[in-house]
Amino acid sequence: MHLSQSYGSVPSLSDISITELQQLLDSGAVNSRDLVELYASRIAEVNDELHAVIETDIPSALAAAEILDRERAHGQLRGPLHGIPILVKDNFATTATSSTSSPSLRTGAGSICLASGSRPAEEATVVAKLRAAGAVLLGKTNQAEFSGARGRRVPQGWSARGGQTYGGYVRGQTACGSSSGSGVAAGLGLAAAALGTETAGSVTCPASFGNVVGVKPTVGLTSRFGVVPVTARQDTVGVLAQSVADAAVLLEVMAGRDGGRDNYTEAQPWERPPRYTEALDAGALRGRRIGVLWHEQGIGFGMDYWANKRQIRRLFDAALEDLRMAGAELVGVPLEGHEEDEGPLDRHIPVRNATEYMLPDFKEGLARYYENLVPDDDDPGKAIRNHAQLLACLRSEPRERADEYGLEVLAAIAEEKEHLLPAGGAEAWSAYVNRSTATGSFIRKPLRDKKLDGLVMYMDLAIALASAPGLPIVTVPMGGLGEDAQVVYSSDDGASPRLVVGAPGMPQGLSFVGEAWSEMDLIGFAYAYERVSQRRRTLRPWIKMGSDLEDRIGGLEEL
């Protein structure tokens, strides 16, 4: 067996690929039960400090692993994830199944109220696909409650079910959001990979600050059925993983149409999606024209995140050199007003338009999610069937901390104190088109006019420009802030915990962005960059885990 030459005799779960895990499983050096036990121990070792995982169901995971181990012993493999433990964000519906049962796992999008009294009748499509490919579901990762669509003062990465998520590379560090726990879990090797969702930055930012790869697909590439929504126009199911190759494996499993359960998937321009693992070519950047976008002021995250701009720029410039080494032809792309206006970029992004369609979409989408819930036999009286019941519970349940963190968004859709446009109406559609066109043009115009194959930028710009038009983003580690970086905390609003948003060693990511359905190209570019740069392994978490593969295998020389 030939494992990566960068490892010693026994690799670590912090830096091992899914392919290498499969090699170990095939060789008999470990089995899936071993992996479940190791990952469960690692979660227990750090979770009191980081709150990355809301809950696990280890007995069911062990039972599933044993079934998968027996199948492997008889030469029967379900798919590329056979026996591989995975975590999913708390907004993915999970159900008990006959062979890989998880009866104790709740689905709450971080909310105690949504998770209580009822259970999903059907599992999220992407979770079912992971199971069909052989994955073992370990549990649910923490997230910003309702993916940030709850109240104005809810901290990034906080939920009533999971508490405050912290990043693993700097003590007290933000994990960003809303897929906070998924980014931390993937980065620290608490599972082989984790699922997240993104509406506007919720995979891309946790990937950047978690020192992992994040793939935010084109809206419609992966089904959202069974996922607690924000807006169907922007929501997408993505992956957080230790490498581009791992992310490609999971995306390949999840991508595809979903009949009448998510009509956005019907927009896919093919009968079957590409095999994204075939994009893993170290020469993918040779001769390709890559546009470079940079914004001096930063956008979308506040000035506290941008205090170390010089250090971020230093990392970005080093990443550009790595791209050149990989064979890319880099083309500068002026941003401000498409070269016609020197005004600030955010002046071109119609902020108000977002609420005009997001609130109606959230109201409609959440109501549709309730339709997939059935009362819990243990406490059917707590079942949530409508917005009013949810809001009443959030106000009365002290662990939801409504007075501290607010409920403005949920109150708006439940009480309708402000006029909401019909989600399917012309006005909401016009508001979306205006925002999508305004931001998307900063991507589509240079791709077209300068005949570019793709774009690279810092993650804040990728989120600002690619979210509304639903365009894909692949984010790859580009190193950590240097020793001269300032220690910067999030703004103090009197309620939220002050999180470290900048410090020496804080991870940062480089984002590749392209046109809709261009994941094959972006994955190839990201893989080629990753092979040259190898930045992820330059950083080590501040928190230590004792459980690892060396506990189960003494050496690999004989394998």
PDB file of all heavy atoms in Angstrom, residues 3 53 84 112 151 190 197 233 326 379 395 402 477 499:
ATOM      1  N   LEU A   3       0.791   5.093   0.826  1.00  0.00           N
ATOM      2  CA  LEU A   3       0.168   6.301   1.341  1.00  0.00           C
ATOM      3  C   LEU A   3       1.047   7.494   1.006  1.00  0.00           C
ATOM      4  O   LEU A   3       2.195   7.363   0.584  1.00  0.00           O
ATOM      5  CB  LEU A   3      -0.026   6.198   2.859  1.00  0.00           C
ATOM      6  CG  LEU A   3      -1.075   5.172   3.317  1.00  0.00           C
ATOM      7  CD1 LEU A   3      -1.058   5.062   4.824  1.00  0.00           C
ATOM      8  CD2 LEU A   3      -2.454   5.535   2.824  1.00  0.00           C
ATOM      9  N   VAL A  53     -19.776  20.212  17.413  1.00  0.00           N
ATOM     10  CA  VAL A  53     -20.744  19.155  17.127  1.00  0.00           C
ATOM     11  C   VAL A  53     -21.895  19.244  18.123  1.00  0.00           C
ATOM     12  O   VAL A  53     -21.678  19.241  19.338  1.00  0.00           O
ATOM     13  CB  VAL A  53     -20.077  17.757  17.197  1.00  0.00           C
ATOM     14  CG1 VAL A  53     -21.100  16.660  16.929  1.00  0.00           C
ATOM     15  CG2 VAL A  53     -18.926  17.683  16.198  1.00  0.00           C
ATOM     16  N   ILE A  84     -17.065   5.272   5.444  1.00  0.00           N
ATOM     17  CA  ILE A  84     -16.412   6.545   5.775  1.00  0.00           C
ATOM     18  C   ILE A  84     -17.335   7.385   6.664  1.00  0.00           C
ATOM     19  O   ILE A  84     -18.449   7.740   6.266  1.00  0.00           O
ATOM     20  CB  ILE A  84     -16.059   7.334   4.502  1.00  0.00           C
ATOM     21  CG1 ILE A  84     -15.135   6.515   3.601  1.00  0.00           C
ATOM     22  CG2 ILE A  84     -15.435   8.675   4.864  1.00  0.00           C
ATOM     23  CD1 ILE A  84     -13.786   6.202   4.206  1.00  0.00           C
ATOM     24  N   ILE A 112     -33.566  24.702  19.526  1.00  0.00           N
ATOM     25  CA  ILE A 112     -34.193  23.730  20.416  1.00  0.00           C
ATOM     26  C   ILE A 112     -35.659  23.567  20.053  1.00  0.00           C
ATOM     27  O   ILE A 112     -36.202  22.452  20.050  1.00  0.00           O
ATOM     28  CB  ILE A 112     -34.043  24.185  21.886  1.00  0.00           C
ATOM     29  CG1 ILE A 112     -32.582  24.069  22.322  1.00  0.00           C
ATOM     30  CG2 ILE A 112     -34.948  23.366  22.808  1.00  0.00           C
ATOM     31  CD1 ILE A 112     -32.276  24.716  23.652  1.00  0.00           C
ATOM     32  N   GLY A 151     -32.271  36.589  14.075  1.00  0.00           N
ATOM     33  CA  GLY A 151     -32.294  37.925  14.651  1.00  0.00           C
ATOM     34  C   GLY A 151     -30.994  38.643  14.356  1.00  0.00           C
ATOM     35  O   GLY A 151     -30.004  38.023  13.967  1.00  0.00           O
ATOM     36  N   LEU A 190     -12.547  15.645  12.801  1.00  0.00           N
ATOM     37  CA  LEU A 190     -13.567  15.054  13.667  1.00  0.00           C
ATOM     38  C   LEU A 190     -14.478  14.132  12.867  1.00  0.00           C
ATOM     39  O   LEU A 190     -15.342  13.465  13.433  1.00  0.00           O
ATOM     40  CB  LEU A 190     -14.394  16.159  14.343  1.00  0.00           C
ATOM     41  CG  LEU A 190     -13.602  17.236  15.097  1.00  0.00           C
ATOM     42  CD1 LEU A 190     -14.549  18.175  15.827  1.00  0.00           C
ATOM     43  CD2 LEU A 190     -12.598  16.618  16.060  1.00  0.00           C
ATOM     44  N   THR A 197     -24.252  24.191   4.239  1.00  0.00           N
ATOM     45  CA  THR A 197     -25.092  24.881   3.262  1.00  0.00           C
ATOM     46  C   THR A 197     -24.622  26.320   3.168  1.00  0.00           C
ATOM     47  O   THR A 197     -24.034  26.855   4.109  1.00  0.00           O
ATOM     48  CB  THR A 197     -26.580  24.853   3.660  1.00  0.00           C
ATOM     49  OG1 THR A 197     -26.738  25.486   4.944  1.00  0.00           O
ATOM     50  CG2 THR A 197     -27.113  23.442   3.710  1.00  0.00           C
ATOM     51  N   ARG A 233     -33.622  30.825  -3.824  1.00  0.00           N
ATOM     52  CA  ARG A 233     -32.888  31.456  -4.927  1.00  0.00           C
ATOM     53  C   ARG A 233     -31.377  31.404  -4.720  1.00  0.00           C
ATOM     54  O   ARG A 233     -30.616  31.529  -5.685  1.00  0.00           O
ATOM     55  CB  ARG A 233     -33.345  32.899  -5.094  1.00  0.00           C
ATOM     56  CG  ARG A 233     -34.795  33.041  -5.508  1.00  0.00           C
ATOM     57  CD  ARG A 233     -35.219  34.514  -5.488  1.00  0.00           C
ATOM     58  NE  ARG A 233     -36.481  34.692  -4.825  1.00  0.00           N
ATOM     59  CZ  ARG A 233     -37.646  34.976  -5.414  1.00  0.00           C
ATOM     60  NH1 ARG A 233     -37.682  35.106  -6.724  1.00  0.00           N
ATOM     61  NH2 ARG A 233     -38.741  35.131  -4.713  1.00  0.00           N
ATOM     62  N   ALA A 326       1.947  27.028 -11.152  1.00  0.00           N
ATOM     63  CA  ALA A 326       1.108  25.935 -11.659  1.00  0.00           C
ATOM     64  C   ALA A 326       0.774  26.101 -13.132  1.00  0.00           C
ATOM     65  O   ALA A 326       0.095  25.241 -13.710  1.00  0.00           O
ATOM     66  CB  ALA A 326      -0.172  25.846 -10.841  1.00  0.00           C
ATOM     67  N   ASP A 379     -43.283  13.479  22.662  1.00  0.00           N
ATOM     68  CA  ASP A 379     -43.866  14.748  23.105  1.00  0.00           C
ATOM     69  C   ASP A 379     -44.558  15.434  21.935  1.00  0.00           C
ATOM     70  O   ASP A 379     -44.125  16.478  21.457  1.00  0.00           O
ATOM     71  CB  ASP A 379     -42.758  15.645  23.676  1.00  0.00           C
ATOM     72  CG  ASP A 379     -43.308  16.765  24.547  1.00  0.00           C
ATOM     73  OD1 ASP A 379     -44.545  16.913  24.597  1.00  0.00           O
ATOM     74  OD2 ASP A 379     -42.506  17.471  25.173  1.00  0.00           O
ATOM     75  N   ARG A 395     -39.741  32.480  21.991  1.00  0.00           N
ATOM     76  CA  ARG A 395     -39.893  33.535  23.005  1.00  0.00           C
ATOM     77  C   ARG A 395     -39.981  32.973  24.423  1.00  0.00           C
ATOM     78  O   ARG A 395     -39.560  33.618  25.382  1.00  0.00           O
ATOM     79  CB  ARG A 395     -41.123  34.379  22.691  1.00  0.00           C
ATOM     80  CG  ARG A 395     -40.903  35.344  21.537  1.00  0.00           C
ATOM     81  CD  ARG A 395     -42.178  36.048  21.147  1.00  0.00           C
ATOM     82  NE  ARG A 395     -41.902  37.162  20.226  1.00  0.00           N
ATOM     83  CZ  ARG A 395     -42.821  37.744  19.466  1.00  0.00           C
ATOM     84  NH1 ARG A 395     -44.089  37.308  19.501  1.00  0.00           N
ATOM     85  NH2 ARG A 395     -42.492  38.738  18.664  1.00  0.00           N
ATOM     86  N   ALA A 402     -33.888  34.785  23.546  1.00  0.00           N
ATOM     87  CA  ALA A 402     -34.556  35.691  22.605  1.00  0.00           C
ATOM     88  C   ALA A 402     -34.301  37.155  22.942  1.00  0.00           C
ATOM     89  O   ALA A 402     -34.098  37.989  22.050  1.00  0.00           O
ATOM     90  CB  ALA A 402     -36.054  35.402  22.583  1.00  0.00           C
ATOM     91  N   PRO A 477      -7.245  26.541   1.221  1.00  0.00           N
ATOM     92  CA  PRO A 477      -6.347  27.221   2.156  1.00  0.00           C
ATOM     93  C   PRO A 477      -5.182  27.909   1.448  1.00  0.00           C
ATOM     94  O   PRO A 477      -4.575  27.345   0.532  1.00  0.00           O
ATOM     95  CB  PRO A 477      -5.849  26.086   3.051  1.00  0.00           C
ATOM     96  CG  PRO A 477      -6.947  25.073   3.026  1.00  0.00           C
ATOM     97  CD  PRO A 477      -7.471  25.129   1.613  1.00  0.00           C
ATOM     98  N   LEU A 499     -15.356  37.517  19.618  1.00  0.00           N
ATOM     99  CA  LEU A 499     -14.600  36.452  18.972  1.00  0.00           C
ATOM    100  C   LEU A 499     -13.360  37.022  18.302  1.00  0.00           C
ATOM    101  O   LEU A 499     -13.378  38.144  17.778  1.00  0.00           O
ATOM    102  CB  LEU A 499     -15.468  35.762  17.922  1.00  0.00           C
ATOM    103  CG  LEU A 499     -16.799  35.185  18.416  1.00  0.00           C
ATOM    104  CD1 LEU A 499     -17.609  34.666  17.234  1.00  0.00           C
ATOM    105  CD2 LEU A 499     -16.559  34.074  19.421  1.00  0.00           C
TER     106      LEU A 499
END
